[in-house]
Amino acid sequence: MMLSTFTNFPRCQRIVNRPILKLVRYWHKEPIPVSWEKPDIGWTKLNFDGSCKGRTGKSSIGGIFRDHKAEFLLGYAESIGRTTSTIAELSALRRGLELVLENGWSDVWLEGDAKSLVDIIVQRRHVRCAEVQRHISDVTSIIPELNNCVVTHIYREGNRAADKFAQLGHLLKKPQIWRHPPNEVLQIMHDDAGGKIILRRR
């Protein structure tokens, strides 16, 4: 009734009708189920993330390595100063790959929540920004050194552990590596190991 009433007043249509119709469309969209997946036996999975604080540009990186049992292998985080979210994401991935080589992992699954970045790496596209391209080149130069490597995108709801490490990075004065999981990620790891599904509302 309310929608039909507003259509009787042309002057109100642009102001009222469109927001209401947009709201109706939103509520009819189905939520997307998201869950973290374990890698295959013999594989190591890295979830990475970058964090950039709004106007200040203060950024940090973080990541977590787990095995086929979803058991913790290693975590890392650090503050990287002021930069963009894209550079933060790339820095998180590059640091993760450096740790892959240092630890001798050869079959690796790389997963992040920045879809555009994942697409660029998978499709081997070039970008105009020289700084971004330099970081991409660093990443793509390391990947061929691995025996097997898969790069995938996951929604942020499935990347919570990496996000938590990235958030911890804001608090650090120097880079840090964890050989045992910090308390801040224990519940998330438990959820991930159990295949907990989180609904993503679009």
Side-chain angles (χ1 to χ4, degrees), residues 60-72:
S60 62
I61 63 173
I64 176 174
F65 293 90
R66 286 171 281 189
D67 64 14
H68 68 280
K69 296 181 179 179
E71 293 182 352
F72 183 87

Side-chain angles (χ1 to χ4, degrees), residues 155-178:
Y155 290 116
R156 69 175 70 91
E157 290 82 358
N159 205 40
R160 294 183 300 146
D163 174 72
K164 181 61 68 174
F165 275 103
Q167 296 303 320
L168 290 174
H170 285 293
L171 308 176
L172 301 175
K173 294 184 179 180
K174 60 181 180 180
Q176 185 168 337
I177 292 177
W178 288 263

Side-chain angles (χ1 to χ4, degrees), residues 130-150:
E131 184 179 6
V132 171
Q133 185 58 53
R134 178 172 59 81
H135 280 78
I136 292 173
S137 297
D138 289 342
V139 168
T140 55
S141 68
I142 296 176
I143 289 178
E145 298 185 41
L146 306 178
N147 185 39
N148 288 295
C149 183
V150 175

Side-chain angles (χ1 to χ4, degrees), residues 48-146:
F48 63 92
D49 198 18
S51 174
C52 183
K53 296 286 188 181
R55 296 179 180 178
T56 65
K58 182 181 179 184
S59 302
S60 62
I61 63 173
I64 176 174
F65 293 90
R66 286 171 281 189
D67 64 14
H68 68 280
K69 296 181 179 179
E71 293 182 352
F72 183 87
L73 298 175
L74 183 148
Y76 63 95
E78 66 179 281
S79 174
I80 60 172
R82 295 184 178 182
T83 189
T84 66
S85 58
T86 300
I87 296 297
E89 293 282 351
L90 282 165
S91 298
L93 176 54
R94 184 184 62 185
R95 180 60 182 136
L97 284 168
E98 291 170 353
L99 291 168
V100 165
L101 297 181
E102 290 176 17
N103 286 273
W105 296 315
S106 58
D107 299 317
V108 183
W109 181 355
L110 310 172
E111 188 169 73
D113 57 26
K115 188 177 187 305
S116 59
L117 171 60
V118 170
D119 289 343
I120 289 172
I121 293 172
V122 170
Q123 298 170 16
R124 299 181 181 181
R125 301 205 310 257
H126 286 269
V127 297
R128 293 181 179 180
C129 176
E131 184 179 6
V132 171
Q133 185 58 53
R134 178 172 59 81
H135 280 78
I136 292 173
S137 297
D138 289 342
V139 168
T140 55
S141 68
I142 296 176
I143 289 178
E145 298 185 41
L146 306 178

